[in-house]
Amino acid sequence: MNSLDPRVIRLPDIGEVGRINPKPALDQFGTYEVFVLPKEGKPFQHEGIVHAPNLEMAYVLAKETFTRRFTCASLYVVNTLDVFVSPLSEGNQNVYDQIPQILNQNSAKVNYEIYHLPKRGKQHVHVGRVSASSPEEAFSIAKEQFQKEKIVYNVWVIQSTAIRYTMNEEKDLWLTLPEKKFRDAAEYKGGEKLKEFLKKSKR
Amino acid sequence: MYGGGNTFEEVKTDSFSQEDPIKLAEFEARIERGEKIEPSDWMPQLYRKQLIRMIEQHGHSEIIGALPEGTWITRAPGFKRKMALMAKVQDEVGHAQLLYSAAETLGKSREQMIDDLITGKSKYSNIFNYPTFTWADCCFISWLVDAGAIVNQLANAKGSYGPYCRALDRICAEESFHLKYGHHCVIYLASGTQKQRDMFQEALNRWWPPMMHFFGPADKISIHTQVLMKWKVKMGTNDDMRNQFLDMYVPKIWELGFTIPDSQLKKNSETGRWEYTEPDWEEFKRVINGDGPCNKERLEVRRIAEERGKWVREAMKAPNQKYVSPLA
């Protein structure tokens, strides 16, 4: 290939110029939802998704995609398929009003994490954990425990064991973030140099 | 960064009159109230289609936009500039990930988007079809192309589609670093040797016409564009965006003692609008349709990357996985 960039010239001939075979489904893998704890003492919040071949890779990619800057205390990921989603309400409707009561199921209980959407257009925020025998029951218990006066528009429920958490020994992943000044706008102050230049050019 | 001046598909102006009028009224009322539309909400076909097109184009522009700058990482002057440029290029590719995800919530798969980019079916910002001859070209992109992108992105972040707005909020936060970095680079060239000043002046001469193209041709105000504006898909006319960019950056370019290669360029003090030589829209059309200096190279680089990564993706595929679209 003719190019200004020698690295482009050196690219191997592979495939056919201008053609690509249509990708089969899942060529780009499934999706994983990413939650970030920006600071100790704040709740985890949903930040977006990554495509990954498995939970472990999703964790690595999430770290690169969502925590390159500012501060991060912790991060976790979960397969999109493992998130149970309530209906979405609007205006002054509280979505908890649409959730039926399903309680007292006698089978074994496990932990579920509960997330609220406090405002349309914002991110889901972690509000706490309940113990329930099914996701449906988890919604009902969440309604009892977490429904306050404030309107909730959407609720997510995730079984805790489905989540790939940050382990204690991994928390040092973000210790060096504040040192990476080259990613920080504040590091590029041109004001002094500019002033000096303007003074000189006036003379 | 990203190219503005989205070209919206012309559809028959009455194509949304076939939508359920009650649902349409609810949808419009929600936008009117300033609430965001979320993936699970009902939306008109036209809204979905235009958003996919716009967000996808934006994502492609991030990926392709990383190429003309990426080529300068190894040759950037000094360790600090290399680190910064590397971080910037990584950001751009990261932005594409965020944008593809937002488009995916509307029902187009990432596989399809990548294929459509490589086959030339989907477009990306025209400005990245031009070459970066010198370091100063790279600085022009970092400062002024990103500045143009921020004008567009800040406007679009006030749009109506929740996942796109959230992606843009993240993106704009990172772009502030790009803009400061780019301006820093140009200040250093401006206050450097005569050779450095000349180098930036030449880059400015080369990039000014594509920069004027960047925001797209003046919109024909049809019923169609009015609807898109009412639905907060399109947040301002292309001319408004261009004018805002000129307002913010022409004084900064002049301050550094550079000459913008357009003798007609001046602000009309009565209308408050900028006047300029009409950009060559024939060239714009020619380049966007594939006949620019770098179109072929950009797509080939992307295609070869895709072919070379294929075996890795194959090897990592989980056989029992199922696909669902992402949640938000």
Side-chain angles (χ1 to χ4, degrees), chain A residues 3 5 14 16 19 23 26-28 32 47 51 53 64 68-69 90 120-121 182-183 188, chain B residues 30 36 38 41 71 84 90-91 104 111 115 166 170 174 177 297 303 306 313 316 321:
Chain A
S3 171
D5 187 348
I14 178 169
E16 214 180 306
R19 273 192 56 125
K23 288 188 174 36
L26 283 172
D27 177 271
Q28 298 290 303
Y32 293 80
E47 287 295 337
H51 284 247
E64 281 309 307
R68 291 197 302 274
R69 299 203 159 73
E90 63 183 299
R120 263 173 170 272
F182 60 93
R183 292 191 197 276
Y188 299 91
Chain B
R30 186 180 293 148
K36 303 290 181 195
E38 294 296 335
D41 288 326
T71 179
Q90 187 187 18
D91 284 348
E104 236 179 302
E111 287 85 1
D115 285 350
R166 287 189 289 273
R170 293 193 74 90
E174 299 193 335
F177 146 62
E297 173 181 336
R303 187 190 63 80
E306 206 58 23
R313 298 196 301 277
M316 295 190 93
Q321 214 157 27

Side-chain angles (χ1 to χ4, degrees), chain B residues 13 19 44 53 68 133 163 165 183 185-186 225 233 247 250 283 324:
Chain B
T13 43
E19 303 281 0
R53 187 187 166 98
F133 291 107
C165 297
H183 195 200
C185 288
V186 176
T225 36
V233 174
D247 236 3
V250 169
E283 166 169 338
V324 285

Side-chain angles (χ1 to χ4, degrees), chain B residues 16-36:
Chain B
F16 46 87
S17 63
Q18 289 146 17
E19 303 281 0
D20 181 336
I22 296 170
K23 282 182 174 159
L24 186 64
E26 279 172 7
F27 167 85
E28 290 186 338
R30 186 180 293 148
I31 292 176
E32 184 75 16
R33 284 197 301 273
E35 278 179 27
K36 303 290 181 195

Side-chain angles (χ1 to χ4, degrees), chain A residues 84-100:
Chain A
F84 297 89
V85 182
S86 82
L88 182 62
S89 70
E90 63 183 299
N92 49 15
Q93 292 172 291
N94 197 321
V95 75
Y96 274 123
D97 296 340
Q98 301 172 33
I99 288 174

Side-chain angles (χ1 to χ4, degrees), chain B residues 36-87:
Chain B
K36 303 290 181 195
I37 306 297
E38 294 296 335
S40 59
D41 288 326
W42 181 90
M43 59 187 89
Q45 281 308 316
L46 176 66
Y47 180 82
R48 186 184 296 277
K49 215 167 139 187
Q50 298 289 14
L51 269 172
I52 290 177
R53 187 187 166 98
M54 180 163 129
I55 303 172
E56 184 188 350
Q57 273 182 16
H58 186 172
H60 293 331
S61 303
E62 302 281 354
I63 289 275
I64 300 293
L67 300 176
E69 281 184 298
T71 179
W72 275 95
I73 292 174
T74 53
R75 293 172 287 168
F79 185 63
K80 277 193 168 168
R81 290 287 190 241
K82 282 187 172 65
M83 290 284 274
L85 187 55
M86 202 149 49

Side-chain angles (χ1 to χ4, degrees), chain A residues 1-8 11-33 46-54 57 64-70 79-81 83 85 88-91 117 119-124 153 156 182-191 193-194 197-198 200-201, chain B residues 26 30 33 35-38 40-41 70-72 74-75 80-81 83-84 87 90-92 94-95 97-98 101 104 110-111 114-115 118-119 131-133 162 166 169-170 173-174 176-178 180-181 183-184 187-188 190-191 197 255-257 296-297 300-301 303-304 306-308 310 312-314 316-318 321-328:
Chain A
M1 207 183 325
N2 202 8
S3 171
L4 288 171
D5 187 348
R7 293 170 314 146
V8 170
L11 283 176
D13 275 335
I14 178 169
E16 214 180 306
V17 177
R19 273 192 56 125
I20 192 120
N21 289 331
K23 288 188 174 36
L26 283 172
D27 177 271
Q28 298 290 303
F29 313 123
T31 64
Y32 293 80
E33 306 290 327
H46 182 249
E47 287 295 337
I49 65 144
V50 289
H51 284 247
N54 56 51
M57 275 301 289
E64 281 309 307
T65 310
F66 293 100
T67 67
R68 291 197 302 274
R69 299 203 159 73
F70 309 119
N79 193 326
T80 302
L81 283 162
V83 184
V85 182
L88 182 62
S89 70
E90 63 183 299
L117 181 66
K119 194 177 174 212
R120 263 173 170 272
K122 293 287 171 219
Q123 296 143 300
H124 287 73
Y153 292 96
W156 288 355
F182 60 93
R183 292 191 197 276
D184 187 354
E187 190 63 8
Y188 299 91
K189 289 199 178 85
K193 187 110 183 156
L194 180 61
F197 166 76
L198 293 178
K200 242 197 249 164
S201 52
Chain B
E26 279 172 7
R30 186 180 293 148
R33 284 197 301 273
E35 278 179 27
K36 303 290 181 195
I37 306 297
E38 294 296 335
S40 59
D41 288 326
T71 179
W72 275 95
T74 53
R75 293 172 287 168
K80 277 193 168 168
R81 290 287 190 241
M83 290 284 274
Q90 187 187 18
D91 284 348
E92 308 297 6
H95 295 169
Q97 309 297 326
L98 301 176
S101 306
E104 236 179 302
R110 200 157 82 154
E111 287 85 1
I114 293 175
D115 285 350
I118 293 172
T119 58
T132 39
F133 291 107
R166 287 189 289 273
D169 285 343
R170 293 193 74 90
E174 299 193 335
S176 68
F177 146 62
H178 301 175
K180 291 286 276 187
Y181 155 77
H183 195 200
H184 195 261
I187 290 172
Y188 272 67
S191 56
R197 289 191 54 84
E255 177 182 52
L256 292 171
K296 287 202 184 74
E297 173 181 336
E300 262 308 275
V301 168
R303 187 190 63 80
I304 292 173
E306 206 58 23
E307 291 278 5
R308 289 175 99 186
K310 196 151 78 182
V312 181
R313 298 196 301 277
E314 287 292 322
M316 295 190 93
K317 230 187 225 177
Q321 214 157 27
K322 254 189 355 197
Y323 180 80
V324 285
S325 32
L327 293 173

